[in-house]
């Protein structure tokens, strides 16, 4: 789920920024990257490399680290997903070409640990909700069963009484 969501986010952002890269509108490109990063707390970084692997724009205030550029950049015609560890935890990097491999690439880093923690909490909440619903359902079934059993017994006793006092018997 994390990979699919990350790819969808990268593809959406790619579609928005390609015109900015084509027109060399670096200010709008920076604004788009920063707005996207602010919109999701699990985004660690976003940067765009040109076809020569030089940074065009990034959410890093001090620029993109050279070792990160070397690790994530590959010429390809499709998205590439890589996991790696940093001091703060695991990172999912999604690299996607802007328009084939000729224009450059977009790189998006997501905090894998916080997304996994969110998934764990969601599963836990669903499990607790399911357990509560199961207990309530069983209690309702027991109450209904007792009510049906009691009415059935009353009918049986009523039939016996009617049959004893019936003038046709």
């Amino acid at each position: 789920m994390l990979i699919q969501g990350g790819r969808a986010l990268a593809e959406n952002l790619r579609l928005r920024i390609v015109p900015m890269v084509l027109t060399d509108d670096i200010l709008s490109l920076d604004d788009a990257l920063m707005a996207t990063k602010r919109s999701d707390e699990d985004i660690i970084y976003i940067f765009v490399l040109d076809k020569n692997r030089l940074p065009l724009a990034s959410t890093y205030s001090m620029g993109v680290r050279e070792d990160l550029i070397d690790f994530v950049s590959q010429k390809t015609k499709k998205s590439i997903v890589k996991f790696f560890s940093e001091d703060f935890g695991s990172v999912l990097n999604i690299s996607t070409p802007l328009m084939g491999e000729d224009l450059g690439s977009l790189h998006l880093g997501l905090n894998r640990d916080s997304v996994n923690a969110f998934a764990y909490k969601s599963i836990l909440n669903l499990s607790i909700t399911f357990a509560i619903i199961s207990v309530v359902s069983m209690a309702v079934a027991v109450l209904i069963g007792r009510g049906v059993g009691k009415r059935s017994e009353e009918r049986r006793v009523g039939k016996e009484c009617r049959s004893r006092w019936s003038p046709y018997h």
Side-chain angles (χ1 to χ4, degrees):
M1 173 137 68
L2 172 63
I3 294 173
Q4 292 170 339
R7 280 188 169 155
L9 181 61
E11 181 62 18
N12 183 338
L13 182 58
R14 182 190 73 82
L15 292 172
R16 288 188 311 165
I17 67 170
V18 164
M20 298 170 202
V21 174
L22 288 171
T23 59
D24 289 328
D25 188 357
I26 302 302
L27 184 59
S28 296
L29 181 59
D30 273 330
D31 289 343
L33 298 185
M34 293 306 289
T36 302
K37 185 175 185 311
R38 281 192 303 270
S39 71
D40 190 339
E41 64 186 26
D42 293 325
I43 296 175
I44 300 169
Y45 61 79
I46 307 171
F47 61 91
V48 177
L49 300 177
D50 68 8
K51 65 182 177 182
N52 299 318
R53 295 181 0 152
L54 298 173
L56 291 176
S58 92
T59 56
Y60 285 113
S61 58
M62 302 298 289
V64 183
R65 296 184 343 238
E66 195 64 38
D67 63 330
L68 183 58
I69 292 173
D70 291 339
F71 178 74
V72 301
S73 63
Q74 290 180 351
K75 287 201 169 198
T76 181
K77 293 183 180 187
K78 61 180 183 174
S79 292
I80 296 175
V81 176
K82 291 184 177 182
F83 292 99
F84 64 95
S85 293
E86 285 283 355
D87 296 338
F88 54 82
S90 298
V91 178
L92 167 70
N93 179 79
I94 299 168
S95 301
T96 188
L98 295 176
M99 283 181 60
E101 54 192 50
D102 298 330
L103 190 59
S105 55
L106 167 68
H107 304 273
L108 175 72
L110 298 173
N111 185 342
R112 183 177 175 196
D113 295 337
S114 68
V115 174
N116 286 344
F118 175 76
Y120 173 77
K121 287 178 188 174
S122 298
I123 290 170
L124 182 64
N125 287 338
L126 285 172
S127 299
I128 291 170
T129 302
F130 179 73
I132 291 170
I133 289 171
S134 297
V135 168
V136 169
S137 298
M138 289 190 318
V140 168
V142 167
L143 290 175
I144 290 173
R146 284 185 182 167
V148 168
K150 190 175 183 180
R151 278 188 248 129
S152 178
E153 178 66 20
E154 289 172 354
R155 274 195 219 129
R156 188 183 60 76
V157 170
K159 263 186 176 175
E160 287 176 2
C161 289
R162 279 194 307 264
S163 65
R164 281 190 216 148
W165 298 99
S166 172
Y168 303 109
H169 203 105

